[in-house]
C-alpha cells in the first residue's frame, strides 16, 4: 500500500502542451510538497500546501500551478511546456510543524519535453 | 534563506571500508538535519536524522554527527556494502510550520567490490 503515489511515472510531451501530474498520500499528513530534480540531481522545492493553503512558491514560473482538492491530494498542472521543464518531479508529504520521520517522497515523474 | 553545501559530489570506496559525507549550513536557526538515500529510479528515502539538541546519533552501520558551532554535520557509513551504492542527500530545516527542507546537491556513493 503505497504511502505517496504519483502518476504518471513517465511523461513525454511536445513543447507548448499542457500537462498534469497527480499525487496522493494516505499517511494523514497535513502538508504536501512538489520538488523538481534536475539532470544534476539537485532537489529544489517548488510548492508546499498545508490544508489546501499555499505556503511556499519558490520563484516558480506561473505556468506551474498546484491544485489541492483535499489534504490527501496535491496535483501539479503545467501550461505551455518548455524544453527546460524536462526533469524528474517528486511529490512529498509531512506532518504539519513536525519533521519527526522527515518527508515521505513519491517515486517521481520523469517529464521529457521534446 | 538557508544554504546547504555538500561534499564530495562523488565518493568511491572499497566494500567493507567506511564512507563519510559532509555538509555545512548557513542558517544558525536550523534545528533539524535529515539524510536521504536515493536509489536509481526511486524517490529519496529518509535513512537517519538528527536534531540540534543532539551531537550524534547512530543506527546500526549509519551515524550522523552535528557540530552546531561550526554549522556542519556528517554522515558516516561503516562496513560498506554494495547495496549502499546510491545518491545521498543532506538537508536542513530552519522554518516553522510547512517551510520546506533545503537539500544539499547530493553525493554519489560508489561501493567497489
Amino acid at each position: 500500500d503505497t504511502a505517496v503515489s504519483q502518476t504518471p511515472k513517465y511523461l513525454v510531451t511536445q513543447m507548448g502542451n499542457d500537462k498534469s501530474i497527480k499525487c496522493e498520500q494516505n499517511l494523514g499528513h497535513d502538508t504536501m510538497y512538489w520538488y523538481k530534480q534536475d539532470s544534476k540531481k539537485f532537489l529544489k522545492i517548488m510548492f508546499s500546501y498545508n490544508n489546501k493553503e499555499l505556503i511556499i512558491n519558490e520563484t516558480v514560473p506561473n505556468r506551474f500551478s498546484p491544485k489541492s482538492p483535499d489534504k490527501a491530494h496535491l496535483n501539479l498542472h503545467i501550461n505551455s511546456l518548455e524544453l527546460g521543464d524536462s526533469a524528474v518531479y517528486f511529490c512529498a508529504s509531512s506532518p504539519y510543524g513536525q519533521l519527526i520521520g522527515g518527508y515521505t517522497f513519491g517515486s517521481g515523474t520523469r517529464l521529457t519535453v521534446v | 534563506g538557508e544554504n546547504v553545501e555538500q561534499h564530495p559530489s562523488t565518493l568511491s570506496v572499497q566494500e567493507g571500508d567506511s564512507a563519510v559525507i559532509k555538509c555545512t549550513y548557513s542558517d544558525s536557526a536550523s534545528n533539524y538535519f535529515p539524510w536521504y538515500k536515493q536509489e536509481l529510479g526511486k524517490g529519496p528515502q529518509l535513512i537517519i536524522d538528527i536534531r540540534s539538541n543532539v551531537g550524534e546519533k547512530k543506527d546500526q552501520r549509519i551515524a550522523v554527527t552535528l557540530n552546531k558551532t561550526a554549522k556542519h554535520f556528517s554522515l558516516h557509513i561503516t562496513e560498506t556494502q554494495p547495496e549502499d551504492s546510491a545518491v545521498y542527500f543532506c538537508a536542513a530545516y530552519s522554518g516553522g510550520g510547512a517551510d520546506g527542507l533545503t537539500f544539499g546537491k547530493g553525493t554519489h556513493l560508489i561501493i567497489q567490490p
Side-chain angles (χ1 to χ4, degrees):
Chain A
D1 195 21
T2 306
V4 179
S5 59
Q6 42 182 122
T7 55
K9 189 167 177 65
Y10 300 97
L11 182 55
V12 181
T13 188
Q14 291 187 325
M15 275 196 305
N17 284 351
D18 302 338
K19 290 293 178 185
S20 291
I21 306 172
K22 295 185 176 182
C23 180
E24 176 182 4
Q25 55 96 4
N26 62 7
L27 299 166
H29 288 167
D30 298 296
T31 308
M32 296 182 72
Y33 311 84
W34 277 105
Y35 274 82
K36 179 181 180 180
Q37 187 172 48
D38 61 24
S39 58
K40 295 183 179 178
K41 297 288 189 182
F42 186 48
L43 279 162
K44 186 171 173 58
I45 191 165
M46 299 177 70
F47 299 105
S48 165
Y49 249 76
N50 175 38
N51 286 331
K52 297 196 285 185
E53 181 183 357
L54 179 66
I55 302 297
I56 299 173
N57 183 339
E58 291 278 328
T59 64
V60 173
N62 58 15
R63 297 183 295 104
F64 291 79
S65 54
K67 298 193 188 304
S68 181
D70 54 61
K71 80 171 193 177
H73 297 84
L74 182 64
N75 303 324
L76 183 64
H77 189 75
I78 316 168
N79 290 327
S80 303
L81 278 156
E82 301 178 356
L83 291 176
D85 297 333
S86 295
V88 181
Y89 293 84
F90 286 100
C91 177
S93 70
S94 72
Y96 178 77
Q98 301 171 41
L99 286 179
I100 297 172
Y103 289 9
T104 302
F105 280 86
S107 57
T109 295
R110 181 174 293 277
L111 171 65
T112 303
V113 182
V114 297
Chain B
E2 176 64 276
N3 182 47
V4 177
E5 299 285 339
Q6 181 172 348
H7 299 281
S9 56
T10 304
L11 178 59
S12 181
V13 300
Q14 289 293 125
E15 183 179 348
D17 288 351
S18 295
V20 180
I21 302 170
K22 298 183 178 182
C23 288
T24 59
Y25 60 98
S26 60
D27 189 345
S28 56
S30 288
N31 57 13
Y32 174 72
F33 307 91
W35 286 88
Y36 287 82
K37 176 183 180 182
Q38 185 178 20
E39 296 175 326
L40 198 60
K42 297 183 179 180
Q45 284 200 310
L46 180 72
I47 55 172
I48 195 167
D49 56 13
I50 191 167
R51 294 188 176 273
S52 57
N53 58 349
V54 175
E56 183 175 358
K57 184 176 178 181
K58 252 185 161 179
D59 182 3
Q60 300 182 339
R61 296 186 297 108
I62 293 173
V64 58
T65 58
L66 171 66
N67 183 327
K68 281 194 299 181
T69 304
K71 289 191 278 190
H72 67 70
F73 56 114
S74 301
L75 177 71
H76 304 253
I77 306 174
T78 58
E79 300 171 19
T80 53
Q81 300 168 4
E83 54 265 35
D84 294 331
S85 293
V87 178
Y88 291 80
F89 293 93
C90 63
Y93 175 80
S94 59
D99 289 353
L101 285 170
T102 300
F103 284 85
K105 293 191 174 182
T107 296
H108 186 192
L109 177 61
I110 302 164
I111 308 301
Q112 304 277 8

